[in-house]
Amino acid sequence: MLDGPQTLSVSIWRGTGTTGAFQSFEVPRQGSQTVLDVVSWIQQNLDPTLTYRYACRVGMCGSCAMMVNGVPRWTCRTHVNKVDQGGALTIGPLRNLPVIKDLAADMDPFFEKWVKAEGLFHPARTRHEEVARVDPASEARRTADRAIECINCSVCYAACDTVAGNPDYLGPAALNRAWSVVNDERDAGRAEVLAAVSVSGGCHNCHSQGSCTRHCPNELSPLDSIAGLKRETARSFWRKGR
Amino acid sequence: MLDLRLYMLQRLSALVMAPLVLGHLALMVYAVQGGISAGEILARTQGSLGWALYYGLFLVAAAIHAAIGLRVILAETLALRSRAFLDLFTLAVGAVFLILGLRALHAVTLA
């Protein structure tokens, strides 16, 4: 038998684009129930028109993030009993992104900023050359290691108050990715990445409030990555004047 | 709305201001001993090139720092995205602070 109320009172955002309202549902509580289980139960038993997004259910694909009681979370790995408030759950689409429908946010601005931040590999060799050897114990590799487990879930982007106030800001995930590229010894585009994160919406707009690091489900620290980018761009400023 | 140049300008102006603020606070504590009067302050500052340079540097750094800081606050509070408007605002605020500051500095040191 579960402790507390046997039914969950769930408020779910319903609507398309900028219009919509919360709709209430009653959902039976179950042991080890996740927030994604709750949303799926509603869609399968109460309202098949409820729109949401998920794929792997094991915290790898990064597609099921939503606002749960005002906090961005990966819903497949968030147990209801850790986050419910006396049996109440309020579930909405990710903050800081346009809404397509119900709980499905439009991820385009999020991924467009990855491209703007040059968070992509710039190869230095062709397939005909030997594979580059990277020492796993080197400082650059260990620094890159701390940033590479990102699953692109956009939880940090939804948590970021700087993104909320400055729509041009590239955001923690894109800058975290840029930092892992800067630390990739094989990458030939270091200067391009540093230039891309130094523009008007770049890493220098971060206020170091740390919501990204606090909420990252994979316990990465975009805050440290952005601080690293600020340091490296400042160094390159003294060297090259930009 | 902050690029690398504005970021560096704000950091460097802060770096310049930090020791000047401490010096200013120390001077205030010293000057207030046994009461303070306009005459006493003017006796120290008037005709002093040293104080003119000290506070001159201070106010240039403060004008730069405050103009960039207000630019960020304005842009984020009102979600302003126009680069041209923000540049104009930053320059105008910096210029006003600089002019007011230089007038006051001139009055207490060189006038």
Side-chain angles (χ1 to χ4, degrees):
Chain A
M1 212 43 198
L2 291 158
D3 293 335
Q6 299 303 301
T7 315
L8 294 165
S9 304
V10 187
S11 282
I12 294 207
W13 183 259
R14 304 303 302 274
T16 44
T18 52
T19 57
F22 281 100
Q23 185 181 354
S24 298
F25 298 95
E26 297 290 309
V27 178
R29 274 191 74 184
Q30 286 167 0
S32 302
Q33 191 176 20
T34 65
V35 174
L36 182 61
D37 290 336
V38 169
V39 175
S40 297
W41 194 90
I42 293 171
Q43 198 260 342
Q44 285 161 13
N45 296 282
L46 300 179
D47 187 346
T49 67
L50 176 63
T51 304
Y52 64 111
R53 206 186 269 128
Y54 76 95
C56 76
R57 303 176 67 113
V58 290
M60 288 171 67
C61 73
S63 52
C64 71
M66 300 168 199
M67 302 300 291
V68 182
N69 287 344
V71 175
R73 295 184 185 277
W74 52 356
T75 56
C76 70
R77 296 287 299 270
T78 302
H79 279 231
V80 168
N81 58 15
K82 295 250 173 72
V83 295
D84 77 302
Q85 292 168 343
L89 279 180
T90 302
I91 306 173
L94 278 176
R95 180 176 170 242
N96 292 339
L97 287 165
V99 177
I100 298 174
K101 180 171 175 284
D102 301 342
L103 301 174
D106 181 356
M107 304 292 281
D108 277 356
F110 176 70
F111 287 112
E112 279 161 10
K113 287 178 180 178
W114 278 58
V115 178
K116 272 193 195 157
E118 281 289 324
L120 46 103
F121 183 56
H122 310 81
R125 303 183 183 197
T126 67
R127 68 184 66 196
H128 306 296
E129 287 164 90
E130 201 187 336
V131 172
R133 290 178 190 280
V134 177
D135 176 7
S138 71
E139 199 189 328
R141 174 65 226 203
R142 281 187 288 130
T143 309
D145 262 350
R146 288 194 283 274
I148 56 177
E149 292 293 339
C150 176
I151 57 170
N152 318 349
C153 66
S154 197
V155 161
C156 59
Y157 190 83
C160 179
D161 285 340
T162 308
V163 171
N166 180 358
D168 294 328
Y169 176 49
L170 295 172
L175 292 169
N176 179 72
R177 171 67 187 157
W179 179 236
S180 67
V181 173
V182 165
N183 286 295
D184 188 338
E185 295 163 50
R186 303 164 305 157
D187 194 275
R190 198 168 188 274
E192 284 95 315
V193 179
L194 291 181
V197 299
S198 296
V199 297
S200 156
C203 65
H204 306 101
N205 293 276
C206 168
H207 291 300
S208 307
Q209 289 172 316
S211 300
C212 49
T213 299
R214 186 189 169 101
H215 294 288
C216 174
N218 266 352
E219 297 180 352
L220 304 185
S221 181
L223 181 64
D224 284 327
S225 298
I226 294 168
L229 286 174
K230 286 177 176 171
R231 270 198 311 277
E232 280 310 309
T233 49
R235 281 203 190 110
S236 106
F237 179 84
W238 290 121
R239 281 199 302 267
K240 298 179 200 158
R242 69 179 169 91
Chain B
M1 104 293 300
L2 269 195
D3 59 11
L4 177 59
R5 254 179 347 145
L6 286 171
Y7 171 86
M8 291 304 287
L9 260 179
Q10 201 178 25
R11 281 349 185 234
L12 291 173
S13 56
L15 210 63
V16 170
M17 273 196 294
L20 297 178
V21 167
L22 292 177
H24 179 66
L25 290 175
L27 175 68
M28 279 165 64
V29 171
Y30 166 78
V32 85
Q33 311 282 326
I36 193 164
S37 67
E40 186 198 327
I41 296 172
L42 288 174
R44 183 170 43 248
T45 57
Q46 220 130 41
S48 162
L49 186 65
W51 285 120
L53 289 175
Y54 183 97
Y55 282 106
L57 184 63
F58 200 159
L59 81 87
V60 169
I64 293 171
H65 194 83
I68 299 172
L70 287 173
R71 168 197 182 96
V72 173
I73 293 170
L74 183 78
E76 289 194 5
T77 309
L78 303 179
L80 290 181
R81 300 176 80 171
S82 162
R83 190 78 202 268
F85 176 80
L86 288 173
D87 285 347
L88 192 68
F89 174 83
T90 311
L91 284 172
V93 169
V96 167
F97 285 168
L98 204 59
I99 291 163
L100 292 177
L102 285 172
R103 279 189 68 212
L105 182 73
H106 182 256
V108 295
T109 57
L110 304 175

